[in-house]
Amino acid sequence: MYKNILVATDGSALADKAVDAGIALAKALGAKVAVLTATEPWTATVSGEMTIGFPAAEYDAAMAAHAKTVLDRATAAAQKAGVACETEHAKDAFPAEAIVDVAKRRGCDLIVMASHGRRGVSRMLLGSQANRVVTHSDIPVLICR
């Protein structure tokens, strides 16, 4: 069945449930996991003094630190479960695109990720990374809610 599972996380409590589910599934199947977190490119949405207050270098450092925390937590969970785990931080990448690209590059046969289950206007405004992954992936996707 599945031997190489990509687990996508943003570090949220909901995503942690998907990490746990992906690791538990990998353990049950004797599979390995690759845990991915993606951080979007820095963009200046304001101009002038506000932009100087949070320069790109500080953003990059903050996102790298956050990614390390998220990936270290997932690695610890996989080690505790006895599941082989590799991690990857897709820097300056849009999450859905990164998930699909990394899964293909790593030869994954399943993607596990969370969905907030937003509907209506909030989905339209915030988008759905899970929906984008399901739409663009040739690899099966397991959505945890």
Side-chain angles (χ1 to χ4, degrees), residues 19-55:
V19 170
D20 292 343
I23 290 170
L25 180 61
K27 182 176 177 88
L29 297 175
K32 63 182 179 178
V33 297
V35 180
L36 169 70
T37 192
T39 52
E40 294 188 15
W42 180 88
T43 58
T45 56
V46 294
S47 60
E49 293 175 16
M50 290 292 290
T51 306
I52 295 168
F54 196 61

Short mmCIF file of all heavy atoms in Angstrom, two decimals, residues 19-55:
data_model
loop_
_atom_site.label_atom_id
_atom_site.label_comp_id
_atom_site.label_asym_id
_atom_site.label_seq_id
_atom_site.Cartn_x
_atom_site.Cartn_y
_atom_site.Cartn_z
N VAL A 19 -0.45 15.60 11.41
CA VAL A 19 0.87 15.02 11.62
C VAL A 19 0.73 13.72 12.40
O VAL A 19 1.30 12.69 12.03
CB VAL A 19 1.82 16.01 12.34
CG1 VAL A 19 3.11 15.33 12.78
CG2 VAL A 19 2.12 17.21 11.45
N ASP A 20 -0.03 13.77 13.48
CA ASP A 20 -0.25 12.56 14.29
C ASP A 20 -0.90 11.45 13.46
O ASP A 20 -0.50 10.29 13.55
CB ASP A 20 -1.10 12.88 15.51
CG ASP A 20 -0.40 13.77 16.52
OD1 ASP A 20 0.86 13.89 16.46
OD2 ASP A 20 -1.10 14.36 17.37
N ALA A 21 -1.89 11.80 12.66
CA ALA A 21 -2.58 10.81 11.83
C ALA A 21 -1.64 10.23 10.78
O ALA A 21 -1.64 9.01 10.54
CB ALA A 21 -3.80 11.44 11.15
N GLY A 22 -0.84 11.08 10.15
CA GLY A 22 0.11 10.60 9.15
C GLY A 22 1.16 9.68 9.73
O GLY A 22 1.51 8.65 9.14
N ILE A 23 1.64 10.02 10.92
CA ILE A 23 2.64 9.18 11.58
C ILE A 23 2.02 7.85 12.01
O ILE A 23 2.63 6.78 11.83
CB ILE A 23 3.28 9.93 12.76
CG1 ILE A 23 4.16 11.07 12.23
CG2 ILE A 23 4.08 8.99 13.65
CD1 ILE A 23 4.66 12.03 13.29
N ALA A 24 0.81 7.89 12.57
CA ALA A 24 0.13 6.66 12.98
C ALA A 24 -0.12 5.75 11.78
O ALA A 24 0.08 4.53 11.86
CB ALA A 24 -1.18 7.00 13.68
N LEU A 25 -0.53 6.33 10.65
CA LEU A 25 -0.76 5.55 9.44
C LEU A 25 0.55 4.94 8.95
O LEU A 25 0.60 3.76 8.60
CB LEU A 25 -1.40 6.42 8.36
CG LEU A 25 -1.71 5.71 7.04
CD1 LEU A 25 -2.70 4.57 7.24
CD2 LEU A 25 -2.25 6.73 6.02
N ALA A 26 1.60 5.73 8.95
CA ALA A 26 2.91 5.23 8.52
C ALA A 26 3.36 4.07 9.40
O ALA A 26 3.87 3.06 8.91
CB ALA A 26 3.94 6.35 8.54
N LYS A 27 3.17 4.21 10.69
CA LYS A 27 3.55 3.13 11.62
C LYS A 27 2.76 1.86 11.31
O LYS A 27 3.33 0.77 11.22
CB LYS A 27 3.32 3.57 13.06
CG LYS A 27 3.74 2.50 14.07
CD LYS A 27 3.60 3.01 15.49
CE LYS A 27 3.93 1.93 16.48
NZ LYS A 27 5.32 1.84 16.83
N ALA A 28 1.46 1.99 11.12
CA ALA A 28 0.61 0.83 10.85
C ALA A 28 0.99 0.15 9.53
O ALA A 28 0.87 -1.07 9.41
CB ALA A 28 -0.86 1.26 10.82
N LEU A 29 1.45 0.93 8.56
CA LEU A 29 1.77 0.39 7.24
C LEU A 29 3.25 0.06 7.06
O LEU A 29 3.64 -0.46 6.01
CB LEU A 29 1.36 1.40 6.16
CG LEU A 29 -0.13 1.72 6.06
CD1 LEU A 29 -0.36 2.82 5.03
CD2 LEU A 29 -0.92 0.46 5.71
N GLY A 30 4.07 0.41 8.04
CA GLY A 30 5.51 0.21 7.89
C GLY A 30 6.11 1.17 6.87
O GLY A 30 7.08 0.85 6.19
N ALA A 31 5.53 2.35 6.77
CA ALA A 31 5.97 3.35 5.79
C ALA A 31 6.88 4.38 6.45
O ALA A 31 7.01 4.42 7.67
CB ALA A 31 4.75 4.05 5.19
N LYS A 32 7.49 5.20 5.63
CA LYS A 32 8.27 6.33 6.14
C LYS A 32 7.49 7.60 5.85
O LYS A 32 6.60 7.61 5.00
CB LYS A 32 9.65 6.38 5.50
CG LYS A 32 9.65 6.60 4.00
CD LYS A 32 11.06 6.60 3.44
CE LYS A 32 11.02 6.80 1.93
NZ LYS A 32 12.37 6.87 1.35
N VAL A 33 7.84 8.67 6.58
CA VAL A 33 7.19 9.95 6.35
C VAL A 33 8.21 11.02 6.02
O VAL A 33 9.36 10.98 6.46
CB VAL A 33 6.33 10.42 7.56
CG1 VAL A 33 5.20 9.47 7.83
CG2 VAL A 33 7.17 10.63 8.79
N ALA A 34 7.75 11.97 5.24
CA ALA A 34 8.48 13.21 5.01
C ALA A 34 7.52 14.30 5.47
O ALA A 34 6.36 14.34 5.05
CB ALA A 34 8.82 13.38 3.53
N VAL A 35 8.00 15.14 6.37
CA VAL A 35 7.15 16.21 6.89
C VAL A 35 7.59 17.52 6.25
O VAL A 35 8.78 17.85 6.24
CB VAL A 35 7.24 16.30 8.43
CG1 VAL A 35 6.36 17.43 8.94
CG2 VAL A 35 6.83 14.97 9.06
N LEU A 36 6.64 18.24 5.72
CA LEU A 36 6.90 19.48 4.99
C LEU A 36 6.18 20.64 5.63
O LEU A 36 5.01 20.53 6.00
CB LEU A 36 6.42 19.34 3.54
CG LEU A 36 6.38 20.62 2.71
CD1 LEU A 36 7.78 21.11 2.39
CD2 LEU A 36 5.59 20.41 1.42
N THR A 37 6.88 21.75 5.76
CA THR A 37 6.23 23.01 6.08
C THR A 37 6.71 24.02 5.04
O THR A 37 7.85 23.96 4.58
CB THR A 37 6.51 23.48 7.53
OG1 THR A 37 5.62 24.55 7.84
CG2 THR A 37 7.93 23.93 7.73
N ALA A 38 5.82 24.89 4.66
CA ALA A 38 6.14 25.90 3.64
C ALA A 38 5.92 27.29 4.21
O ALA A 38 4.97 27.51 4.97
CB ALA A 38 5.28 25.71 2.40
N THR A 39 6.80 28.21 3.86
CA THR A 39 6.60 29.60 4.24
C THR A 39 6.55 30.45 2.99
O THR A 39 7.39 30.32 2.10
CB THR A 39 7.71 30.11 5.19
OG1 THR A 39 8.99 29.85 4.62
CG2 THR A 39 7.63 29.41 6.53
N GLU A 40 5.52 31.26 2.94
CA GLU A 40 5.29 32.09 1.76
C GLU A 40 6.33 33.19 1.64
O GLU A 40 6.93 33.59 2.64
CB GLU A 40 3.89 32.67 1.80
CG GLU A 40 2.82 31.61 1.69
CD GLU A 40 1.43 32.17 1.53
OE1 GLU A 40 1.28 33.37 1.23
OE2 GLU A 40 0.48 31.38 1.70
N PRO A 41 6.55 33.68 0.44
CA PRO A 41 7.52 34.77 0.25
C PRO A 41 7.10 36.02 1.01
O PRO A 41 5.91 36.30 1.18
CB PRO A 41 7.48 35.04 -1.26
CG PRO A 41 6.77 33.88 -1.87
CD PRO A 41 5.92 33.26 -0.81
N TRP A 42 8.08 36.76 1.45
CA TRP A 42 7.84 38.04 2.11
C TRP A 42 7.32 39.00 1.06
O TRP A 42 7.83 39.07 -0.07
CB TRP A 42 9.14 38.57 2.70
CG TRP A 42 9.02 39.89 3.40
CD1 TRP A 42 8.71 40.10 4.70
CD2 TRP A 42 9.22 41.20 2.83
NE1 TRP A 42 8.69 41.43 4.99
CE2 TRP A 42 9.01 42.14 3.85
CE3 TRP A 42 9.54 41.66 1.57
CZ2 TRP A 42 9.12 43.52 3.66
CZ3 TRP A 42 9.66 43.02 1.36
CH2 TRP A 42 9.44 43.93 2.41
N THR A 43 6.26 39.71 1.41
CA THR A 43 5.75 40.76 0.53
C THR A 43 5.47 42.00 1.35
O THR A 43 5.04 41.92 2.49
CB THR A 43 4.44 40.34 -0.17
OG1 THR A 43 3.47 40.02 0.82
CG2 THR A 43 4.64 39.17 -1.09
N ALA A 44 5.76 43.11 0.77
CA ALA A 44 5.48 44.38 1.43
C ALA A 44 4.07 44.79 1.05
O ALA A 44 3.81 45.21 -0.07
CB ALA A 44 6.48 45.45 1.01
N THR A 45 3.15 44.65 1.99
CA THR A 45 1.78 45.03 1.70
C THR A 45 1.52 46.49 2.07
O THR A 45 0.46 47.02 1.78
CB THR A 45 0.78 44.14 2.48
OG1 THR A 45 1.09 44.23 3.87
CG2 THR A 45 0.88 42.71 2.02
N VAL A 46 2.49 47.09 2.73
CA VAL A 46 2.40 48.51 3.06
C VAL A 46 3.68 49.17 2.60
O VAL A 46 4.68 48.52 2.37
CB VAL A 46 2.21 48.73 4.59
CG1 VAL A 46 0.88 48.20 5.04
CG2 VAL A 46 3.33 48.11 5.38
N SER A 47 3.65 50.46 2.49
CA SER A 47 4.85 51.15 2.04
C SER A 47 5.33 52.10 3.13
O SER A 47 4.66 52.33 4.13
CB SER A 47 4.56 51.91 0.75
OG SER A 47 3.53 52.86 0.99
N GLY A 48 6.48 52.64 2.90
CA GLY A 48 7.02 53.64 3.82
C GLY A 48 7.63 53.05 5.06
O GLY A 48 8.27 52.01 5.03
N GLU A 49 7.43 53.72 6.20
CA GLU A 49 8.07 53.35 7.45
C GLU A 49 7.65 51.97 7.95
O GLU A 49 8.42 51.27 8.59
CB GLU A 49 7.78 54.39 8.52
CG GLU A 49 8.43 55.73 8.23
CD GLU A 49 8.04 56.80 9.24
OE1 GLU A 49 7.52 56.44 10.31
OE2 GLU A 49 8.26 57.97 8.94
N MET A 50 6.42 51.54 7.68
CA MET A 50 5.95 50.23 8.13
C MET A 50 6.79 49.12 7.51
O MET A 50 7.08 48.12 8.14
CB MET A 50 4.48 50.04 7.77
CG MET A 50 3.54 50.90 8.57
SD MET A 50 3.48 50.44 10.30
CE MET A 50 2.63 48.88 10.18
N THR A 51 7.19 49.27 6.25
CA THR A 51 7.99 48.27 5.58
C THR A 51 9.35 48.13 6.25
O THR A 51 9.85 47.03 6.42
CB THR A 51 8.18 48.64 4.09
OG1 THR A 51 6.90 48.85 3.52
CG2 THR A 51 8.90 47.55 3.34
N ILE A 52 9.92 49.23 6.65
CA ILE A 52 11.22 49.21 7.31
C ILE A 52 11.12 48.51 8.67
O ILE A 52 12.04 47.85 9.11
CB ILE A 52 11.77 50.65 7.47
CG1 ILE A 52 12.03 51.24 6.09
CG2 ILE A 52 13.03 50.66 8.32
CD1 ILE A 52 12.30 52.71 6.09
N GLY A 53 9.96 48.60 9.31
CA GLY A 53 9.77 47.99 10.62
C GLY A 53 9.85 46.47 10.62
O GLY A 53 10.13 45.87 11.64
N PHE A 54 9.63 45.82 9.51
CA PHE A 54 9.72 44.37 9.43
C PHE A 54 10.37 44.00 8.10
O PHE A 54 9.71 43.56 7.17
CB PHE A 54 8.34 43.73 9.56
CG PHE A 54 8.40 42.26 9.87
CD1 PHE A 54 9.00 41.79 11.02
CD2 PHE A 54 7.83 41.34 9.01
CE1 PHE A 54 9.04 40.43 11.30
CE2 PHE A 54 7.87 39.98 9.28
CZ PHE A 54 8.48 39.53 10.43
N PRO A 55 11.68 44.20 8.01
CA PRO A 55 12.38 43.95 6.75
C PRO A 55 12.41 42.46 6.39
O PRO A 55 12.20 41.60 7.24
CB PRO A 55 13.78 44.49 7.00
CG PRO A 55 13.92 44.63 8.46
CD PRO A 55 12.55 44.72 9.04
#
